[in-house]
């Protein structure tokens, strides 16, 4: 069974959001010299998004929506 295209796009968008949040945190660090809470909020959002994506991937594998494949030995 193939992974639906919508699921693939959701994963790509979520990963892009994680990288974007990391960029916002870096911008907040450089711009505000660490004096504001922008960096902390961006990194917190990145952690929550990463954990949520991981849990959704595990749920997708368990439910059969996502079929993992690996390299055959």
């Amino acid at each position: 069974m193939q992974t639906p295209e919508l699921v693939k796009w959701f994963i790509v968008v979520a990963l892009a959001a994680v990288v974007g949040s990391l960029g916002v945190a870096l911008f907040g660090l450089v711009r505000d010299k660490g004096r504001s809470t922008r960096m902390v909020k961006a990194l917190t959002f990145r952690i929550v998004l990463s954990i949520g994506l991981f849990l959704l991937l595990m749920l997708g594998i368990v439910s059969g929506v996502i079929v993992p494949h690996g390299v055959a030995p």
Side-chain angles (χ1 to χ4, degrees):
M1 183 171 133
Q2 291 284 346
T3 303
E5 290 296 320
L6 185 62
V7 173
K8 290 180 184 178
W9 280 107
F10 177 76
I11 293 169
V12 170
V13 168
L15 288 174
V18 167
V19 172
S21 177
L22 198 57
V24 168
L26 177 64
F27 180 76
L29 177 67
V30 171
R31 178 89 169 173
D32 299 334
K33 306 283 190 231
R35 291 187 295 263
S36 75
T37 60
R38 182 188 315 189
M39 182 180 64
V40 174
K41 288 179 183 177
L43 291 175
T44 302
F45 178 72
R46 182 185 68 86
I47 291 169
V48 169
L49 189 61
S50 297
I51 291 172
L53 179 61
F54 178 76
L55 291 175
L56 284 174
L57 286 172
M58 291 299 108
L59 181 66
I61 290 171
V62 169
S63 67
V65 174
I66 299 173
V67 179
H69 61 282
V71 177

